[in-house]
Amino acid sequence: MLYCLIIRSQHEEAIDAGYRHLDTAIVYQTEVDVGKAVRSKIQQGIIQDMFIVIKLWCKYFAPEDIPVCLDKSLNDLQLDYIDLYLVHFPMGLHVTQQNCIFVKGRTF
């Protein structure tokens, strides 16, 4: 829980300092807290425009996994859209049970 509060407060401080470009990825496991920070600053009227970049992790290049990962990121970030969706790095990895992401009853 403390880690989550630190992530959120760091992003809120960055926004307060003028940062308007945030970069995150599902694999960082910080999207919920980044989303809370952005939502808080929007509700406070501090920001109206942000450039949000997310990245597709290299285990999820299968065509059926891409929209699921995008939807999870959008949901976790509490956003309707993102500005840029990147491939994290252009090398696919095999999916294993270790370090999987669980989404709607599916294991990635």
Side-chain angles (χ1 to χ4, degrees):
M1 183 66 170
L2 179 59
Y3 175 73
C4 296
L5 294 174
I6 291 170
I7 295 297
R8 181 177 175 181
S9 68
Q10 287 175 336
H11 281 82
E12 288 177 349
E13 289 175 22
I15 293 167
D16 288 342
Y19 283 78
R20 295 297 180 264
H21 176 178
L22 297 179
D23 179 303
T24 188
I26 198 169
V27 73
Y28 303 161
Q29 299 179 359
T30 59
E31 290 181 336
V32 170
D33 302 303
V34 170
K36 287 178 181 178
V38 170
R39 178 69 50 208
S40 172
K41 294 303 177 178
I42 290 171
Q43 290 173 343
Q44 293 173 32
I46 293 172
I47 57 170
Q48 297 175 356
D49 193 25
M50 293 286 300
F51 192 87
I52 307 289
V53 177
I54 63 173
K55 294 180 286 305
L56 178 66
W57 187 239
C58 51
K59 287 184 181 181
Y60 311 115
F61 289 170
E64 63 273 10
D65 293 343
I66 296 168
V68 175
C69 290
L70 175 60
D71 289 343
K72 179 176 182 355
S73 291
L74 288 171
N75 185 57
D76 288 350
L77 288 164
Q78 302 175 41
L79 297 173
D80 297 326
Y81 71 96
I82 48 99
D83 296 289
L84 184 61
Y85 194 32
L86 295 174
V87 171
H88 204 280
F89 52 87
M91 177 180 66
L93 298 177
H94 293 285
V95 178
T96 66
Q97 288 297 331
Q98 292 180 325
N99 300 320
C100 290
I101 298 169
F102 299 93
V103 181
K104 296 181 184 176
R106 294 178 64 187
T107 302
F108 291 94

